[in-house]
Amino acid sequence: QVLLQEPRGGSVETGGSLRLSCAASGFTRSVDSMAWFRQAPGAVREGVAMISVPDDRKYYGASVMGRFTISRDANANTVYLQMQNLTPEDTAVYYCAAGPLPRGGSWGLPTQYNYWGQGTQVTVSS
């Protein structure tokens, strides 16, 4: 079993920045990918970014490419999401996820991940 803990998100104005973190504990050897998803009210859960544990390869959703950066501290079993140039469209509950390495282009599918954090609210005001 793997436990994912996400501290509180936050609120910023348009153009601002936030950094989210997610600490993994438990049987972390079973984790080969860590990802961030988000879900706005009435919307489906959207893949934001994923990082491969074996080789640190990174993948991003089209809506955040060039603005968000995913990174990982292997010693601390922690994954980060640095978010810049935020807009109100980025407002959502952000979830950390972990699991095996997704195949092909499926990293953005929630079903690829076995473990989930509790979610943290990010609000961007105009």
Side-chain angles (χ1 to χ4, degrees):
Q1 190 73 0
V2 175
L3 179 65
L4 301 176
Q5 294 182 297
E6 308 168 39
R8 288 179 58 184
S11 299
V12 295
E13 295 183 347
T14 295
S17 300
L18 276 177
R19 188 176 83 154
L20 303 180
S21 64
C22 173
S25 61
F27 192 56
T28 57
R29 289 185 179 182
S30 67
V31 171
D32 281 331
S33 67
M34 297 190 74
W36 288 96
F37 284 75
R38 67 185 182 185
Q39 189 166 19
V44 299
R45 192 165 293 192
E46 173 191 15
V48 175
M50 187 272 277
I51 187 166
S52 166
V53 172
D55 59 11
D56 276 345
R57 189 169 295 187
K58 303 172 184 179
Y59 302 81
Y60 295 96
S63 61
V64 305
M65 186 79 70
R67 299 188 300 123
F68 290 12
T69 302
I70 190 169
S71 61
R72 186 175 69 92
D73 182 339
N75 292 329
N77 288 322
T78 298
V79 64
Y80 302 96
L81 185 69
Q82 178 67 45
M83 305 183 291
Q84 297 178 317
N85 296 324
L86 287 161
T87 73
E89 287 69 35
D90 295 314
T91 296
V93 176
Y94 283 70
Y95 297 90
C96 177
L101 197 62
R103 295 183 178 182
S106 63
W107 72 266
L109 297 178
T111 53
Q112 296 294 308
Y113 303 91
N114 300 329
Y115 307 106
W116 290 86
Q118 76 279 11
T120 187
Q121 178 69 45
V122 171
T123 302
V124 185
S125 58
S126 57

